[in-house]
Amino acid sequence: MSSTKDNFAISSDSLAYFAVGNPGGGSGQKPSLNPAEGKKSELSWSQLIDGPLASWARDPSQLDDDGLLAPSSATITKASLVAASLRDHGAPAPTRIVPTGDGGIALQFDRGRQFISIEIEPEGVVELLVFDDGRLRHRAAL
Amino acid sequence: MAQPDVEEPLSDDELLLRRIPASQNWVSPDDKSIDPLAFRPRESDITGLSFGRAKYDAPIQEAAKGALGRRFFVALLSVKLIREKGMTIVPRPLIGDAGHAEISDLTYANRRSDRAREFVQCLRDCVVGVQGPFDGQRASP
């Protein structure tokens, strides 16, 4: 894992879960994320980065709600960097980008039986979680 | 919060109600599918993930327990399906909320554990309906 103020680096092994880059010798079977497999309409990266992420950055308090914690400006900025990095590597856009309710943001790739989530936690940790039929198959810090 | 004395057991044919804030975009506007994050325990879920029981309150009444000025969807979940996924549901009536119940496997403290994340993911499959959004009616203390 590495990150700077201006970018967020994602390892090639993690990128393999998005069907981009070189798997780099990982032993687990990497799922293919072909946009055509998506069960729902796809948003574009620019729609996500310039849409909800930009809107939340302007006013994070819009996500304050009953018993929930809105993401901070720093968390929103980091989520934008992660999104930009995935976009620049050619990854398909996520199905959804949503607040986690406890101060984080999740980029989600919902493929029916397979569900991939990248969670940007309020503490600054970024995690990749891969589920198959509800079972957690892979979990790693990015 | 204090509890009443009587706890009516939960039967498999019951439905549970989960209030979901509309502001979080956890309910898809097109097909009303629910994001698993709607089931991630919140800070108030100390002893378990909170639900209402449909035999005590209608969905619109469950939504009304939410904060005034906010809107809420209400997901209906099958007790039988939840139990089949290996989760434990317990009645936990509260003063003024006799239909309160909890999934004791899911708490705010364990919400990021592998097991809790799997349970949260599986709860999507236990949803049998979504209603709303409805207005919250609970005034601030």
Side-chain angles (χ1 to χ4, degrees):
Chain A
M1 172 184 152
S2 68
S3 64
T4 70
K5 187 176 180 181
D6 300 313
N7 61 56
F8 185 88
I10 300 175
S11 72
S12 59
D13 208 43
S14 294
L15 283 169
Y17 283 97
F18 302 91
V20 295
N22 183 341
S27 56
Q29 183 182 0
K30 303 293 193 294
S32 167
L33 265 187
N34 181 339
E37 294 171 0
K39 66 173 187 176
K40 294 169 185 149
S41 60
E42 297 288 336
L43 297 170
S44 71
W45 282 113
S46 60
Q47 280 177 304
L48 293 168
I49 294 170
D50 299 333
L53 280 171
S55 172
W56 298 343
R58 285 191 296 272
D59 178 19
S61 69
Q62 66 186 283
L63 297 174
D64 274 331
D65 209 318
D66 205 11
L68 301 174
L69 179 65
S72 66
S73 295
T75 301
I76 297 167
T77 299
K78 192 154 196 174
S80 299
L81 294 175
V82 173
S85 180
L86 285 165
R87 177 199 61 198
D88 294 346
H89 281 94
T95 318
R96 280 194 276 215
I97 180 163
V98 285
T100 61
D102 56 358
I105 292 174
L107 306 176
Q108 299 177 336
F109 305 79
D110 188 351
R111 307 285 159 170
R113 295 177 65 173
Q114 182 187 87
F115 188 94
I116 298 179
S117 182
I118 294 178
E119 295 197 6
I120 299 92
E121 303 290 0
E123 300 84 0
V125 174
V126 181
E127 273 199 310
L128 169 67
L129 301 113
V130 181
F131 297 88
D132 283 328
D133 276 336
R135 296 295 169 202
L136 184 59
R137 294 297 172 88
H138 180 76
R139 179 177 186 174
L142 293 184
Chain B
M1 192 180 292
Q3 288 183 255
D5 292 334
V6 180
E7 290 185 359
E8 184 187 5
L10 277 144
S11 61
D12 274 355
D13 60 357
E14 279 193 54
L15 295 178
L16 298 183
L17 306 175
R18 173 74 177 170
R19 203 167 59 243
I20 302 173
S23 64
Q24 307 298 299
N25 298 318
W26 289 335
V27 178
S28 170
D30 45 5
D31 61 0
K32 286 203 168 181
S33 63
I34 297 182
D35 194 290
L37 289 166
F39 304 115
R40 177 177 284 191
R42 302 168 192 169
E43 205 164 6
S44 59
D45 294 318
I46 297 168
T47 55
L49 186 68
S50 288
F51 291 87
R53 296 169 71 174
K55 68 185 297 182
Y56 285 82
D57 287 311
I60 194 170
Q61 293 171 308
E62 181 64 25
K65 297 173 190 171
L68 186 66
R70 302 292 183 176
R71 306 208 77 198
F72 300 88
F73 289 96
V74 176
L76 292 82
L77 295 91
S78 158
V79 168
K80 181 173 186 285
L81 292 176
I82 292 171
R83 286 177 169 155
E84 285 176 355
K85 298 287 185 185
M87 288 172 263
T88 302
I89 313 168
V90 293
R92 203 175 293 278
L94 306 173
I95 299 292
D97 189 3
H100 184 255
E102 292 178 347
I103 294 180
S104 55
D105 308 274
L106 290 169
T107 65
Y108 186 74
N110 76 8
R111 72 192 186 284
R112 291 181 183 166
S113 70
D114 289 357
R115 187 164 180 261
R117 286 181 184 276
E118 288 186 345
F119 278 152
V120 163
Q121 201 74 20
C122 289
L123 279 173
R124 281 204 313 176
D125 299 330
C126 304
V127 175
V128 297
V130 182
Q131 294 188 22
F134 305 113
D135 292 327
Q137 302 286 342
R138 191 191 72 242
S140 297

